[in-house]
Amino acid sequence: MQHAVRSRAAIRTGLTPVPRPRTPSVTSLMDADALRVLHRAARALLDDLPGLTDRLVALLQEQEPAYRVAVTKDPTATWQEAHRSLRHSVASLLDPRAARDAARRCSWRIGAARAEQGLPLDALLHAFRLGGSLVWQRLVEETSRTAPEDVRLLVHVAADVWNFVDEHCTLVADAYRQTEWQLSRRRENRARLLAAGLLDGTSRIADLPETAQALGLPEQGRYVVVAVTGGHSARPDAARAAAVPPGARVHWHAGVENDYGIVLVGADDDGLPEAPEPASGQDAGLPGLRIGIGSPVDGLAAVGDARRSADTALDICPETGGTVRLADHLPAALVVSSPGLGRALAEKVLGPLLRLEPADREVLLDTLTTWLDCDGSAQRAGERLYCHRNTVLNRLRRCEQLTGRSLARPADLVEMSLALTARRVLRD
């Protein structure tokens, strides 16, 4: 296994862009003698390759905790990996040109495989450093044993040996980082598909455990879906932060038109802040931001229902921006859920009002809406509209005359309230 050092090169995307190992050039008799000594010692290392592999595996178990676990889990695979790496490394000392490509492919495969297995990169580089040190140590030991007078000649090939080692360390690190990036993209894409299935209500029950793990959320829990749109094309993070309080466990999914947050909440409530006034998005520097908070559901399997209720809440939200919690606007939700019936109700109840001249129509509708918002108080409605309470009462009587309904009759009042809601929330 090659010596490992910190990479000095940029991350590469394949095998070809890495630097090529230097091949010794015989420029003097001294260089030729050094190569002869190197080759003689390298051949001895090849003859004792199993023993060399045993020594490296023992060093890994002793000095690298991550490899200690790997050896315990699959000793055969770890030994074979070390054996292949050492064989290619030593063969490259004997014939760099012939063995170069095979050695590089071996190092690349090791880096990629260890990234897939989740072995830390630092542990992998440490293993290569140990392997390189062991090979050099054995070269020196073998030369000292067979020809002590030739040990000094190894100095002349040391730079070439360590340049080869350095190149392979860079290569294995590049392979690791590229594979790690690919795995990350694959996990992100898989999480996106699983989240989309949850929100669409098309997830299979068998996929729920994988979905829970991919999204970092428990399969059994209480969830609310938050739908966010508008006012955040350039600041999606700010919009999401305005929708979900800090510290909440949430997985965000970017849809075609809306962003959806799958929020884990408490057992008794949705854990989300009270809906602010529509102008709050503008105050936060996000004009037009609209947030819809759906109804709580139990379990990831029901997130599709929560998403549909969040969409309904978003449909109720004013175009100018604001936050709507579905539980606080159930009458409007009924209207939005059946827009055809809502429009029919508005026409039946408010038809005569709607056919008035625009200025007259808006005054009467605004007065009726304000009076309902003020719980039927003409005094408060007049204060809000900047007119006398008698003016409010006169306008209300005219509404009753035009519609043929009495604001004192509960059934008529409910119809008029729903009709006004339908006119407000059904924009098209």
Side-chain angles (χ1 to χ4, degrees), residues 24-39:
S25 57
V26 183
T27 58
S28 66
L29 290 178
M30 182 67 74
D31 293 333
D33 288 341
L35 286 176
R36 174 180 53 80
V37 172
L38 174 65
H39 291 170

Side-chain angles (χ1 to χ4, degrees), residues 10 15 21 24 59 71-72 128 141 196 212 221 240 244 256 263 271 324 332 341 344 347 384 392:
L15 290 171
L59 282 173
V71 171
T72 302
F128 268 70
E141 289 176 353
R240 293 175 176 183
V244 178
V256 177
V263 188
V324 168
L341 291 177
E347 174 59 29
R384 187 175 296 184
V392 173

Side-chain angles (χ1 to χ4, degrees), residues 62-142:
E62 176 185 344
Q63 299 187 25
E64 181 48 62
Y67 265 92
R68 191 178 307 137
V69 174
V71 171
T72 302
K73 183 177 181 180
D74 194 345
T76 301
T78 305
W79 192 93
Q80 290 175 346
E81 175 190 282
H83 185 269
R84 285 193 301 272
S85 182
L86 289 171
R87 175 165 54 84
H88 285 294
S89 298
V90 177
S92 295
L93 297 178
L94 292 169
D95 191 349
R97 293 185 182 277
R100 178 188 63 206
D101 289 341
R104 295 170 75 234
R105 286 193 297 270
C106 178
S107 294
W108 184 271
R109 284 194 294 267
I110 290 174
R114 287 307 187 182
E116 290 179 350
Q117 295 164 8
L119 185 82
L121 178 57
D122 286 347
L124 179 60
L125 294 178
H126 187 202
F128 268 70
R129 184 166 58 249
L130 287 174
S133 298
L134 179 61
V135 168
W136 180 253
Q137 178 184 344
R138 288 290 290 114
L139 289 172
V140 174
E141 289 176 353
E142 180 61 26

Side-chain angles (χ1 to χ4, degrees), residues 115-424:
E116 290 179 350
Q117 295 164 8
L119 185 82
L121 178 57
D122 286 347
L124 179 60
L125 294 178
H126 187 202
F128 268 70
R129 184 166 58 249
L130 287 174
S133 298
L134 179 61
V135 168
W136 180 253
Q137 178 184 344
R138 288 290 290 114
L139 289 172
V140 174
E141 289 176 353
E142 180 61 26
T143 303
S144 298
R145 185 181 65 83
T146 58
E149 68 281 2
D150 291 338
V151 171
R152 59 184 177 81
L153 294 175
L154 290 178
V155 174
H156 297 275
V157 294
D160 293 310
V161 172
W162 291 109
N163 284 336
F164 169 82
V165 169
D166 183 57
E167 178 218 357
H168 278 261
C169 293
T170 299
L171 181 64
V172 77
D174 287 350
Y176 187 101
R177 294 188 181 101
Q178 178 177 322
T179 303
E180 189 176 46
W181 178 82
Q182 292 172 342
L183 290 172
S184 176
R185 287 293 301 272
R186 197 179 307 160
R187 285 191 296 268
E188 290 174 1
N189 289 336
R190 181 59 177 165
R192 175 173 175 78
L193 290 175
L194 292 170
L198 276 186
L199 293 165
D200 291 341
T202 59
S203 288
R204 301 181 304 170
I205 297 299
D207 290 336
L208 289 179
E210 180 190 358
T211 302
Q213 182 177 9
L215 305 188
L217 298 170
E219 184 178 347
Q220 300 302 327
R222 189 168 175 81
Y223 289 98
V224 165
V225 171
V226 177
V228 181
T229 191
H232 65 291
S233 58
R235 299 178 58 190
D237 292 341
R240 293 175 176 183
V244 178
R249 290 183 63 180
V250 55
H251 176 84
W252 283 101
H253 177 80
V256 177
E257 297 180 353
N258 309 324
D259 285 355
Y260 294 99
I262 305 173
V263 188
L264 179 66
V265 297
D268 298 328
D269 55 49
D270 60 26
L272 297 173
E274 291 297 323
E277 293 298 322
S280 63
Q282 298 179 12
D283 295 341
L286 297 169
L289 174 63
R290 298 165 55 223
I291 301 169
I293 302 174
S295 301
V297 297
D298 292 320
L300 286 178
V303 163
D305 295 332
R307 191 272 305 169
R308 284 185 285 274
S309 67
D311 280 342
T312 300
L314 196 63
D315 288 340
I316 300 170
C317 202
E319 288 286 357
T320 53
T323 299
V324 168
R325 186 190 304 268
L326 186 66
D328 298 336
H329 297 80
L330 293 179
L334 288 173
V335 171
V336 169
S337 299
S338 185
L341 291 177
R343 292 188 181 92
L345 178 64
E347 174 59 29
K348 179 182 178 181
V349 175
L350 302 176
L353 280 173
L354 298 178
R355 285 185 283 276
L356 293 173
E357 290 295 326
D360 197 16
R361 177 189 65 211
E362 294 305 320
V363 167
L364 293 180
L365 290 175
D366 192 28
T367 300
L368 184 55
T369 300
T370 303
W371 179 77
L372 289 171
D373 290 342
C374 292
D375 299 325
S377 171
Q379 180 67 39
R380 284 195 288 145
E383 293 173 357
R384 187 175 296 184
L385 295 170
Y386 301 102
C387 63
H388 195 274
R389 65 181 298 275
N390 290 339
T391 302
V392 173
L393 293 174
N394 290 334
R395 292 174 182 174
L396 293 178
R397 278 193 292 271
R398 190 176 175 208
C399 288
E400 290 178 316
Q401 293 168 357
L402 289 169
T403 61
R405 285 167 171 77
S406 171
L407 295 177
R409 187 180 302 125
D412 289 354
L413 187 61
V414 169
E415 281 191 343
M416 295 187 75
S417 177
L418 285 175
L420 286 170
T421 299
R423 182 177 181 273
R424 175 174 57 83

